[in-house]
Amino acid sequence: MVPAKKTKPATPRARPGLKHQAEYLSQTRREHASEIAEDYVEAIADLVAETGEARVVDLAKRFGVTHVTVNRAIARLQKGGFVTSQPYRAIFLTDQGRHLATTCKTRHETVVAFLRSLGIPDRVAEMDAEGIEHHVSPDTLAAFKAALRRDR
């Protein structure tokens, strides 16, 4: 019989993935903030196209949130250079905001069209696209577009 090896007691140390976990969570928070910004600029563009202006109350209704939540989002969008706004006035997109809104709308429409081409019902395709559109890579989006062109 071979005698068992003596092992040193384990020394406490950080879990191997802890640093990476913090990086992933930080990245997820940044991506979530980006998703919110994209949803807001897209909604602002839609409201301006529909009514000529976007107001806090309209955005709050559209997103089902309070006016305080909208005001915080608008402040972040202003800081990022996507919108202009003054208290109790309409919200307007800057050139940078309009560009982002157009990019988001096009991406959304592509994802919805692709899902519909797979036979996904319209309502489900719209709901699923809301999540997918923020995470789809440029390569995947290009593949969706290519597949849609082939189907025509």
Side-chain angles (χ1 to χ4, degrees), residues 53-138:
E53 67 180 6
R55 300 176 306 151
V56 169
V57 67
D58 300 323
L59 290 166
K61 283 180 189 174
R62 186 166 286 210
F63 290 117
V65 299
T66 67
H67 70 283
V68 174
T69 300
V70 173
N71 282 327
R72 287 180 182 152
I74 297 305
R76 285 191 298 273
L77 290 172
Q78 278 184 299
K79 197 179 285 188
F82 296 105
V83 300
T84 59
S85 176
Q86 295 177 351
Y88 308 106
R89 310 297 273 185
I91 303 156
F92 294 98
L93 296 171
T94 62
D95 288 341
Q96 182 181 350
R98 278 189 292 282
H99 175 74
L100 180 60
T102 300
T103 300
C104 294
K105 187 171 188 69
T106 301
R107 186 175 56 217
H108 177 87
E109 290 170 350
T110 300
V111 172
V112 169
F114 180 75
L115 293 174
R116 286 179 178 156
S117 77
L118 297 175
I120 307 295
D122 291 352
R123 182 173 172 276
V124 176
E126 283 289 342
M127 287 175 28
D128 287 348
E130 283 303 321
I132 295 169
E133 71 179 278
H134 298 294
H135 301 282
V136 65
S137 71

Side-chain angles (χ1 to χ4, degrees), residues 135-147:
H135 301 282
V136 65
S137 71
D139 291 342
T140 300
L141 195 62
F144 285 3
K145 289 177 182 179

